[in-house]
Amino acid sequence: MSLTGKSRIAGVIGWPVAHSRSPRLHGWWLEHYRIDGAYIPLAVPPERAREAIGALAALGLRGANVTVPHKETAFLAIGDREPSALRVGAVNTIVVAADGRLIGSNTDGFGFLANLDDQAPGWRDGAGAATVVGAGGAARAVVAALLDAGFVDIRLVNRTAARATALADLFGIAVRVWPWQQRADALDGAALLINTTTLGMVGMPALDLDLKALPKTAVVNDIVYTPLMTPLLAEAQIRGHRIVDGLGMLLHQARPGFAAWFGMMPEVTPELRQHMLRSIDSEG
Ligand code: ATR
């Protein structure tokens, strides 16, 4: 669609930004909903991140997504932070308000929950115990979201115990660290298992985890989406678990930003998934 003088403009700030899938995703929605707007990649090196964020309003942009490695810088640079950002310590979505103020939020938790709601309806009914593998930024968003969803026993397992402890300390007693060596035992009685590490991604070893103790009713979710069917999900499926792939989280986390910048809440549809999968298949 060609642009006009009234086009609404948003983008993604990252370094490098060439691998970001967000322009493809937002571009599809803009086309699909026939919106006069554009979503552009903004390659910003670390030393210019604050300056670039500060310039969003002056340039008349509606806002931006923020990706690696700028999410923490954006958090520090923005005064108006929504609770979603405060809980995660990182901003991935910036909205320029009508008066030019920047509002920072983090939509990863929204994306995580909406993806499970979409792909595993009823998953919250079993809210009780959940096992989270990993202790990075993605794990922090997932843990916060699980607390919001009512989980009362969140078991954190991570190769580096100190990182898991640091993460658990940010939350209350509902989040407990289990030793990496005993990660298979941490599955006993869990309603949900989530991999938030990079294990299972193309070029990485698979997550080495014995699923024997996981109840058959448990849902297994991988945040990795390259490949879509990770070794963890493949094994979980063979064992009869409901599985949820990671592509949906990427798609759903983008929706609140699109709604704020372009004026309508977009949907995640099978056509959109196919469109995004074509780029994943060709790039690996
Ligand atoms: P993000 O912020 O995207 O979650 P990250 O902070 O780099 O990414 O976290 C990556 C996660 O993958 C961490 O939990 C990391 O474990 P460590 O804290 O021990 O580094 C985990 N991870 C990466 N490679 C791993 C491996 N070979 N074995 C076990 N865990 C691994």
Side-chain angles (χ1 to χ4, degrees):
M1 184 182 272
S2 58
L3 300 173
T4 70
K6 292 183 190 158
S7 299
R8 299 173 176 210
I9 312 292
V12 54
I13 298 174
W15 187 261
V17 81
H19 298 295
S20 171
R21 298 176 201 281
S22 295
R24 183 178 175 90
L25 169 57
H26 287 273
W28 192 89
W29 276 329
L30 287 168
E31 188 88 32
H32 184 73
Y33 295 114
R34 302 189 169 283
I35 291 170
D36 181 10
Y39 182 100
I40 55 179
L42 299 163
V44 177
E47 66 276 12
R48 306 205 74 174
R50 271 180 179 261
E51 195 185 343
I53 291 166
L56 289 172
L59 287 168
L61 268 69
R62 295 284 170 150
N65 280 127
V66 183
T67 187
V68 181
H70 300 321
K71 294 187 200 184
E72 285 77 22
T73 305
F75 180 79
L76 297 172
I78 292 179
D80 268 302
R81 295 172 297 206
E82 293 194 346
S84 60
L86 292 170
R87 290 187 86 185
V88 179
V91 161
N92 75 350
T93 304
I94 302 172
V95 173
V96 180
D99 61 4
R101 262 180 324 122
L102 301 181
I103 301 167
S105 62
N106 191 303
T107 61
D108 283 340
F110 171 91
F112 167 72
L113 295 176
N115 184 34
L116 280 166
D117 287 342
D118 194 12
Q119 295 195 53
W123 71 279
R124 294 171 192 243
D125 300 347
T131 306
V132 177
V133 184
R140 189 163 163 183
V142 163
V143 168
L146 287 174
L147 288 169
D148 290 345
F151 281 78
V152 293
D153 174 10
I154 298 170
R155 303 155 180 186
L156 211 49
V157 294
N158 193 53
R159 176 183 60 180
T160 309
R163 284 189 89 193
T165 306
L167 180 54
D169 286 348
L170 298 172
F171 299 98
I173 53 156
V175 184
R176 294 205 192 113
V177 177
W178 285 56
W180 182 244
Q181 277 4 323
Q182 286 162 34
R183 58 194 180 280
D185 301 332
L187 303 178
D188 193 7
L192 184 65
L193 164 64
I194 310 113
N195 173 46
T196 73
T197 73
T198 45
L199 295 169
M201 201 180 269
V202 176
M204 288 287 289
L207 170 63
D208 176 18
L209 179 60
D210 186 346
L211 300 183
K212 208 167 48 229
L214 190 67
K216 285 284 172 265
T217 49
V219 173
V220 178
N221 177 206
D222 206 323
I223 276 179
V224 172
Y225 58 86
T226 51
L228 205 53
M229 183 63 91
T230 60
L232 170 68
L233 291 182
E235 197 202 331
Q237 190 169 51
I238 289 167
R239 287 178 166 272
H241 294 284
R242 278 202 291 171
I243 61 168
V244 176
D245 66 60
L247 178 61
M249 180 170 165
L250 171 78
L251 306 183
H252 282 281
Q253 65 78 28
R255 294 170 62 214
F258 188 95
W261 307 318
F262 301 117
M264 64 157 312
M265 191 65 155
E267 295 299 320
V268 172
T269 59
E271 293 75 25
L272 175 62
R273 277 181 63 91
Q274 281 311 315
H275 175 72
M276 295 305 292
L277 276 175
R278 278 195 288 278
S279 80
I280 289 168
D281 288 347
S282 59
E283 290 169 29

